[in-house]
């Protein structure tokens, strides 16, 4: 009984982890290649979710909704890059923080203006709802399992893209030396727009996938953005491998901590205060994890020098 | 023989496959100028950084004033009396020349955690700072913004800031670079007198200055010291001529 | 010699006094409250500016200190109004509705938090520092949400404004006077700090870390001290802000608050001593004017901020007074 509960929670943690990876991958690529910190990445997550909800409401097709989330977020990302972001590559981090914070205000209020303040709902399609039996006698929601598989597939695809393709080689070269790849005749501004749009599309997809479990609303991207920051600080900024490791670590820690810490506290406290103390500690757990990792490795698990 | 102020023993430092220092042992004695020469990329600055504490050597030791400082950081070594100029000027560019010198004086004095008094009105600090600027010939430029200085003036300011620390030894990484004939002539005269106050480990490409000043010269090639000796000995050394002076006019 | 910038500074500080005084004589308490809010937010910005402008530390976590100050007020006052001591052991500690004591607690607690957060995050630099300060701020935010004893997500209200000996704090103009005097004291302190030995070394560490180390000073210690001072001032502003609203909630701790405090500093002009005063006043003005026209006024704020960052980096003071800098 309890081991089934534990396994179920581990799967939930994995599910959160792969979603965080989709967010963190874009952030860390953009930082690694362009040296840019983008606070507005959470807005792209939100754009993806809203696009999916709108298209699903229109056509009734979940698949089309997912495609719309990818397309809308990629387009918003490319636009963002062309209009604002590319003016920021040579600026200091303070300017990047402020300009992308301004973008959040514009995106959030703009979305509120277009869609109103009430949450939208994106339904899990019939063919993906309901539980599925896994070996070991676990009943687990099919949709969540699908999310995990999609996330892992994308992670694998991303590793392949970076390790094997021309674009991947250019991305890696860009991390090492911008002038070098410009000298090799790569159109660097096109490459940057492409990388940015790719990261945006992943964030948008994550927004749509999660939007079907939670609600689709303004500001939904920000808690995820901050978790994604924790992920890449833990993993090491610029490292895709680090993003994956960090995402899984954060996803598992957050999920398991939230469920089991109150139970742990209940062993030696009265139930009411155990629940609240456990919940309080659980809410801080990933930050404590981050602090602990930083004490040992200031530039993250897979980071070089910062 | 004069007292040894600085000693490195078998310093090794690699960057990947590149051996930037291999088994470097040298010393600096009271009252002398010890010049370190070598072609571009020989590892001179890398050696300076290991002595100053920016780089941790892969193996070997650094001894300062008789004490093993290999494990100490740059700040601790500076406090022990190591005054340093950088190859690429490291100055507070928004500050005036005087402010940079006062910063040095403040570091030398060490009482930085004072929050209320006006540092630019502190007579003791100002006296030290102005004196140092005077000595390097920057007194007239005291109120100029450092970012507006010429390259050569920044080199002079680097030396002035090092002076404010009243150090027990100097590490100077190419202080003459960009100074022009006139400026380097003057700085040569100044360093000549300075060795009485504190010995100098001098990295320099200006061979006239080196041969005019140095009590001893060490030649670094591919991270290795191939010869150490007086100016005459170095001129006469066949290996040095081949490896280093070969392409120059060895007058 | 009076530069254009210092003239402008005096004009701003005078305007911030004259507007509420005029409002008082015209019996417009709402405008006094807006001016009070501007003064308190400017104080928070003055705090941040010590870390950001002087020290070059891009903290996106200053809401933590603002919120700690706010909760210090909320918790002390809540215990005082319910006649419940905070704790009995190891000594009796009662709640309080006395502002000076509340401020002291707010300053001490936010300084301690800044010491811990700073000691951890200053081990890193660049983007890591930004993200880590953001994360620690958010940690406190979630903690406050889950801390049901003090209102959790709903926050904590107190019934009457706290007291200050000899003043009637319920009178808007008297409460404004308190906030204004504290702001002036903080500006005076920040100006002294910038010109002090500590300020010289701190701003040098922002410009060139190698240089500071080479003269035998430790950048980490300078920055940590700056971060603590900065956090303490922002914490004091938080206590006043909560007292102004008679309410504290996790929103004070959210990263949007951190972003807004940073906006005050930037709208005015980074590294300029009076930048936060100009920025906070402009922010309140925009909120009031644009907020009256459209519910979505933050779109305009976003666009304005974007334009300032991309095209007018000196902020408001820079646009008026030219490029010269207050510090250094
Ligand atoms: N941080 C570093 N990482 C990797 N390689 C480095 C680093 N610093 C120096 N090097 C390499 O080590 C070698 C020695 O460099 P160093 O700067 O010590 O030479 P130098 O003798 O001072 O040359 P110059 O006369 O041009 O100043 C060079 O090949 C340089 O590229
Ligand atoms: Mg060199």
């Amino acid at each position: 009984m309890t081991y089934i509960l534990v396994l179920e929670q581990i799967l939930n943690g994995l599910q959160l982890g792969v979603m965080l990876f989709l967010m963190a991958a874009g952030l860390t690529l953009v930082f690694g290649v362009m040296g840019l910190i983008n606070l507005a990445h959470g807005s792209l997550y939100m754009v993806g979710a809203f696009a999916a909800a709108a298209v699903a409401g229109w056509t009734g097709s979940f698949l089309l909704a997912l495609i719309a989330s990818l397309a809308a977020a990629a387009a918003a990302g490319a636009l963002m890059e062309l209009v604002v972001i590319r003016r920021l590559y040579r600026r200091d981090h303070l300017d990047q923080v402020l300009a992308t914070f301004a973008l959040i205000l514009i995106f959030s209020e703009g979305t509120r203006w277009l869609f109103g303040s009430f949450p939208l709902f994106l339904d899990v399609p019939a063919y993906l709802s309901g539980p599925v039996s896994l070996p070991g006698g676990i009943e687990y929601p099919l949709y969540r399992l699908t999310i995990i598989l999609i996330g892992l597939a994308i992670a694998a695809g991303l590793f392949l893209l970076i390790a094997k393709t021309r674009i991947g080689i250019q991305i890696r070269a860009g991390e090492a030396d911008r002038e070098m790849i410009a000298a090799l005749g790569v159109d660097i501004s096109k490459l940057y727009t492409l990388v940015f749009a790719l990261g945006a599309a992943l964030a948008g997809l994550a927004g749509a996938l999660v939007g079907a479990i939670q609600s689709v609303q303004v500001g939904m991207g920000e808690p995820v953005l901050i978790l994604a920051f924790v992920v890449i600080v833990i993993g090491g900024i610029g490292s895709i491998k680090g993003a994956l490791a960090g995402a899984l670590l954060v996803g598992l820690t957050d999920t398991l901590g939230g469920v089991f810490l109150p139970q742990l506290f209940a062993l030696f406290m009265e139930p009411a205060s155990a629940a609240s103390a456990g919940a309080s500690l659980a809410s801080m757990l990933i930050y404590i994890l981050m602090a602990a990792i930083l004490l040992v490795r200031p530039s993250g698990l897979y980071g070089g020098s910062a | 023989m004069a007292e040894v102020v600085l000693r490195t023993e078998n310093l090794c430092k690699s960057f990947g496959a590149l051996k930037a220092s291999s088994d470097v042992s040298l010393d600096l004695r009271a009252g002398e100028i010890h010049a370190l020469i070598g072609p571009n990329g020989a590892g001179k600055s890398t050696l300076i950084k290991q002595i100053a504490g920016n780089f941790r050597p892969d193996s070997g030791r650094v001894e300062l004033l008789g004490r093993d400082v290999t494990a100490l950081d740059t700040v601790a070594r500076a406090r022990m009396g190591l005054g340093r100029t950088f190859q690429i000027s490291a100055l507070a560019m928004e500050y005036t020349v005087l402010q940079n010198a006062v910063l040095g004086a403040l570091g030398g004095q060490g009482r930085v955690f004072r929050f209320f008094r006006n540092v630019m009105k502190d007579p003791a600090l100002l006296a030290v700072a102005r004196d140092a600027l005077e000595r390097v010939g920057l007194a007239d430029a005291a109120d100029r913004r450092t970012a507006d200085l010429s390259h050569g003036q920044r080199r002079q300011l680097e030396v002035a800031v090092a002076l404010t620390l009243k150090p027990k030894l100097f590490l100077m990484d190419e202080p003459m670079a960009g100074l022009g004939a006139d400026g380097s002539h003057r700085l040569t005269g100044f360093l000549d007198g300075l060795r009485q106050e504190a010995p100098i480990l001098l990295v320099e490409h200006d061979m006239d200055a080196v041969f005019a000043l140095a009590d001893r010269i060490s030649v670094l090639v591919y991270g290795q010291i191939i010869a150490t000796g007086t100016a005459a000995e170095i001129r006469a050394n066949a290996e040095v001529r081949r490896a280093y002076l070969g392409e120059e006019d060895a007058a | 010699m009076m530069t254009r910038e210092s003239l402008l500074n005096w004009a701003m500080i005078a305007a911030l006094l004259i507007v509420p005084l005029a409002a008082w004589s015209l019996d417009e308490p709402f405008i006094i409250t807006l001016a009070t809010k501007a003064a308190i937010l400017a104080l928070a910005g003055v705090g941040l500016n010590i870390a950001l402008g002087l020290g070059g530390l891009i903290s996106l976590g200053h809401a933590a200190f603002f919120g700690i100050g706010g909760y210090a007020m909320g918790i002390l006052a809540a215990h005082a109004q319910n006649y419940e001591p905070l704790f009995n052991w190891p000594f009796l500690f009662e709640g309080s509705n006395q502002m000076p004591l509340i401020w002291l607690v707010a300053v001490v607690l936010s300084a301690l938090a800044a010491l811990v957060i700073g000691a951890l995050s200053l081990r890193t630099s660049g983007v890591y520092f930004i993200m880590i300060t953001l994360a620690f701020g958010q940690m406190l935010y979630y903690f406050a949400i889950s801390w049901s004893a003090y209102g959790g997500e709903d926050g904590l209200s107190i019934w009457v404004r706290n007291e200050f000996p000899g003043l009637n704090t319920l009178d808007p103009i008297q409460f404004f006077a308190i906030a204004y005097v504290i702001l002036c004291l903080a500006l005076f302190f920040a100006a002294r700090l910038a010109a002090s030995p500590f300020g010289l070394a701190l701003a040098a560490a922002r410009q060139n870390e190698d240089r500071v180390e080479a003269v035998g000073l430790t950048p980490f210690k300078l920055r940590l001290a700056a971060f603590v001072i900065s956090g303490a001032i922002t914490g004091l502003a938080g206590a006043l802000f909560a007292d102004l609203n008679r309410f504290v909630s996790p929103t004070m701790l959210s990263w949007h608050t951190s972003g807004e405090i940073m906006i005050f500093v930037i709208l005015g002009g980074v590294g300029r001593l009076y930048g936060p005063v100009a920025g906070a006043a402009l922010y309140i003005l925009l909120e009031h004017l644009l907020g009256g026209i459209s519910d979505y006024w933050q779109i305009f704020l976003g666009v304005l901020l974007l334009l300032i960052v991309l095209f007018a980096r000196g902020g408001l003071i820079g646009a008026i007074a030219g490029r010269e800098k207050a510090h250094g």
Side-chain angles (χ1 to χ4, degrees):
Chain A
M1 176 60 211
T2 39
Y3 101 96
I4 290 186
L5 181 68
V6 172
L7 280 182
E8 210 174 277
Q9 293 306 330
I10 288 179
L11 285 172
N12 282 342
L14 267 182
Q15 183 250 306
L16 176 59
V18 296
M19 287 303 100
L20 287 176
F21 172 72
L22 292 187
M23 278 294 276
L27 272 177
T28 207
L29 265 183
V30 164
F31 184 78
V33 180
M34 291 95 117
L36 177 104
I37 173 169
N38 179 20
L39 299 182
H41 203 64
S43 299
L44 298 165
Y45 176 91
M46 177 185 72
V47 166
F50 271 91
V55 169
W58 231 353
T59 64
S61 159
F62 189 70
L63 201 61
L64 282 180
L66 288 190
I67 293 171
S69 75
L70 281 166
L79 187 72
M80 198 189 263
E81 203 274 344
L82 289 171
V83 177
V84 176
I85 301 289
R86 59 175 44 189
R87 295 171 205 276
L88 297 172
Y89 295 139
R90 287 173 188 282
R91 296 292 192 83
D92 59 21
H93 291 318
L94 179 60
D95 284 358
Q96 298 175 350
V97 163
L98 290 163
T100 55
F101 189 80
L103 286 176
I104 293 182
L105 296 180
I106 295 170
F107 270 87
S108 291
E109 292 305 300
T111 310
R112 202 192 304 282
W113 183 55
L114 280 175
F115 290 90
S117 294
F118 293 104
L120 304 182
F121 292 95
L122 177 62
D123 292 325
V124 174
Y127 54 87
L128 286 177
S129 40
V132 57
S133 306
L134 296 178
I138 308 164
E139 298 273 297
Y140 195 71
L142 176 58
Y143 182 71
R144 284 179 181 264
L145 192 67
T146 313
I147 291 190
I148 296 177
L149 295 178
I150 293 179
L152 291 178
I154 290 179
L158 211 54
F159 279 109
L160 277 180
L161 177 87
I162 287 176
K164 295 271 160 26
T165 65
R166 266 183 76 90
I167 290 194
I169 292 168
Q170 291 173 359
I171 289 175
R172 276 180 294 145
E175 284 178 12
D177 187 346
R178 295 178 211 194
E179 265 112 62
M180 181 64 193
I181 75 159
L184 290 176
V186 177
D187 182 345
I188 201 153
S189 58
K190 218 185 264 167
L191 176 69
Y192 282 7
T193 312
L194 196 72
V195 169
F196 201 86
L198 175 69
L202 295 181
L205 179 65
L209 289 172
V210 173
I213 315 182
Q214 299 162 359
S215 59
V216 173
Q217 56 187 333
V218 172
M220 65 186 287
E222 291 170 17
V224 191
L225 173 79
I226 288 158
L227 287 183
F229 278 154
V230 173
V231 164
I232 63 180
V233 165
I234 288 178
I237 299 177
S239 159
I240 292 278
K241 212 189 289 172
L244 185 60
L248 296 180
L249 206 55
V250 168
L252 288 169
T253 308
D254 197 46
T255 308
L256 297 180
V259 176
F260 293 111
L261 268 183
Q263 299 189 6
L264 187 71
F265 278 40
L267 294 180
F268 51 88
M269 285 168 90
E270 48 180 302
S273 46
S276 88
S280 296
L281 185 62
S283 70
M284 308 204 316
L285 206 55
I286 55 163
Y287 304 99
I288 296 169
L289 174 75
M290 176 186 80
I293 286 177
L294 281 177
L295 282 178
V296 191
R297 298 186 62 108
S299 48
L301 294 176
Y302 291 87
S305 53
Chain B
M1 193 184 282
E3 171 204 0
V4 171
V5 178
L6 164 74
R7 188 201 307 279
T8 72
E9 278 172 19
N10 308 100
L11 286 183
C12 293
K13 175 87 190 166
S14 303
F15 299 112
L18 179 83
K19 283 202 130 189
S21 304
S22 57
D23 259 335
V24 177
S25 300
L26 54 71
D27 60 25
L28 178 69
R29 299 180 195 141
E32 76 166 345
I33 292 181
H34 186 158
L36 183 64
I37 63 174
N40 289 112
K44 304 181 294 293
S45 296
T46 303
L47 180 61
I48 294 281
K49 285 176 190 163
Q50 290 170 84
I51 295 172
N54 302 85
F55 287 158
R56 182 72 54 94
D58 299 337
S59 64
R61 309 176 351 118
V62 179
E63 208 175 89
L64 203 60
L65 306 168
R67 199 174 139 199
D68 184 348
V69 297
T70 318
L72 298 185
D73 63 8
T74 41
V75 173
R77 295 186 202 191
R79 300 210 139 197
M80 283 180 69
L82 193 149
R84 172 185 186 193
T85 72
F86 292 83
Q87 180 174 2
I88 297 165
S89 294
L91 296 162
M93 288 297 170
E94 295 168 19
Y95 279 173
T96 63
V97 168
L98 184 61
Q99 280 175 310
N100 268 295
V102 168
L103 176 68
L106 180 64
Q109 178 211 57
R111 289 163 55 205
V112 69
F113 286 96
R114 290 178 301 164
F115 303 97
F116 291 104
R117 51 176 38 223
N118 188 332
V119 69
M120 297 310 288
K121 292 198 174 124
D122 183 320
L125 295 178
L126 281 177
V128 174
R130 289 201 188 275
D131 178 57
L133 292 178
E134 184 83 44
R135 290 181 69 190
V136 301
L138 270 182
D140 292 340
D143 293 324
R144 288 182 57 194
R145 231 172 84 100
T146 305
D148 300 334
L149 295 185
S150 71
H151 190 65
Q153 285 172 314
R154 289 184 198 170
R155 315 294 315 154
Q156 286 170 288
L157 181 52
E158 284 267 328
V159 176
V161 176
L163 285 176
T164 60
L165 298 175
K166 304 212 166 29
K168 304 213 170 65
L169 72 161
F170 290 97
L171 292 184
M172 298 193 179
D173 200 348
E174 301 196 21
M176 315 268 180
L179 233 45
D182 218 34
S184 60
H185 190 71
R186 278 190 40 201
L187 189 56
T188 304
F190 176 68
L191 295 185
D192 196 14
L194 189 62
R195 79 181 97 192
Q196 302 312 326
E197 268 171 55
I200 306 170
L201 182 64
L202 177 70
V203 172
E204 195 42 75
H205 278 298
D206 181 338
M207 287 305 144
D208 292 339
V210 166
F211 283 98
L213 280 173
D215 299 293
R216 288 189 296 156
I217 299 173
S218 290
V219 183
L220 195 68
V221 177
Y222 293 125
Q224 255 176 326
I225 293 195
I226 60 168
T228 297
T230 62
E233 285 164 3
I234 292 300
R235 277 203 183 93
N237 185 306
E239 201 180 348
V240 173
R241 297 182 79 99
R242 196 165 356 102
Y244 182 64
L245 298 177
E247 67 268 9
E248 284 198 24
D249 175 17
Chain C
M1 192 183 63
M2 205 73 154
T3 62
R4 244 167 105 173
E5 179 168 339
S6 61
L7 211 61
L8 182 67
N9 292 342
W10 282 108
M12 275 187 316
I13 269 299
L16 188 56
L17 182 61
I18 290 167
V19 169
L21 282 179
W24 177 52
S25 65
L26 297 172
D27 199 21
E28 291 273 4
F30 181 63
I31 293 186
I32 303 179
T33 300
L34 284 184
T36 313
K37 193 173 169 192
I40 294 172
L41 295 180
L43 179 67
V46 170
L48 175 64
N49 207 16
I50 289 174
L52 181 69
L54 210 52
L57 305 174
I58 307 175
S59 163
L60 252 185
H62 261 52
F65 313 124
F66 196 63
I68 285 173
Y71 271 96
M73 181 312 270
I75 291 172
L76 285 171
H79 280 273
Q81 78 187 5
N82 299 333
Y83 303 102
E84 283 170 353
L86 262 96
F87 47 84
N88 295 309
W89 192 89
F91 53 89
L92 180 69
F93 193 87
E94 308 243 30
S96 171
N97 63 357
Q98 292 301 310
M99 285 188 185
L101 179 69
I102 288 171
W103 297 342
L104 183 70
V105 173
V107 164
V108 169
L109 289 182
S110 41
L112 278 177
L115 185 67
V116 175
I117 293 177
L120 283 167
S121 32
L122 286 168
R123 291 164 50 85
T124 65
S125 60
V127 239
Y128 278 95
F129 181 79
I130 299 174
M131 294 185 190
I132 291 162
T133 50
L134 174 61
F136 280 125
Q138 211 59 14
M139 172 176 97
L140 290 178
Y141 171 72
Y142 287 120
F143 177 76
I145 285 184
S146 70
W147 200 17
S148 48
Y150 293 108
E153 200 160 0
D154 300 330
L156 191 60
S157 290
I158 57 162
W159 304 322
V160 279
R161 188 167 287 154
N162 295 298
E163 294 168 6
F164 189 90
L167 291 179
N168 172 13
T169 55
L170 292 176
D171 178 7
I173 195 74
Q174 296 195 37
F175 186 61
F176 168 78
I178 293 175
Y180 184 77
V181 168
I182 291 182
L183 173 64
C184 289
L185 289 175
L187 284 168
F188 176 72
F189 171 74
R192 291 299 290 259
L193 190 77
S196 72
F198 174 76
L200 182 82
L202 176 65
R206 162 168 58 77
Q207 299 167 57
N208 198 311
E209 186 164 322
D210 283 338
R211 169 48 60 205
V212 172
E213 287 183 353
V215 301
L217 302 172
T218 313
F220 176 82
K221 288 187 200 163
L222 296 164
R223 290 178 180 143
L224 187 56
F227 200 71
V228 169
I229 295 171
S230 166
I233 294 177
T234 302
L236 178 59
L240 286 166
F241 190 73
D243 231 329
L244 174 69
N245 301 322
R246 279 171 266 162
F247 176 64
V248 52
S249 75
T251 310
M252 275 182 81
L253 290 157
S254 88
W255 78 294
H256 265 264
T257 306
S258 295
E260 279 167 13
I261 300 175
M262 195 178 270
I263 290 178
F264 309 145
V265 174
I266 304 311
L267 282 182
V270 207
R272 297 183 190 259
L273 185 60
Y274 285 70
V277 180
L282 182 64
Y283 184 89
I284 297 292
L285 213 61
L286 287 176
E287 181 178 34
H288 188 55
L289 295 181
L290 294 177
I293 301 170
S294 161
D295 284 345
Y296 309 106
W297 75 278
Q298 293 218 335
I299 295 185
F300 301 105
L301 178 68
V303 171
L304 178 71
L305 180 62
L306 201 54
L307 291 176
I308 286 185
V309 173
L310 292 180
F311 304 111
R313 301 178 69 192
L316 191 64
I317 298 184
I320 299 174
R323 296 188 62 82
E324 63 205 308
K325 281 226 167 179
H327 295 317

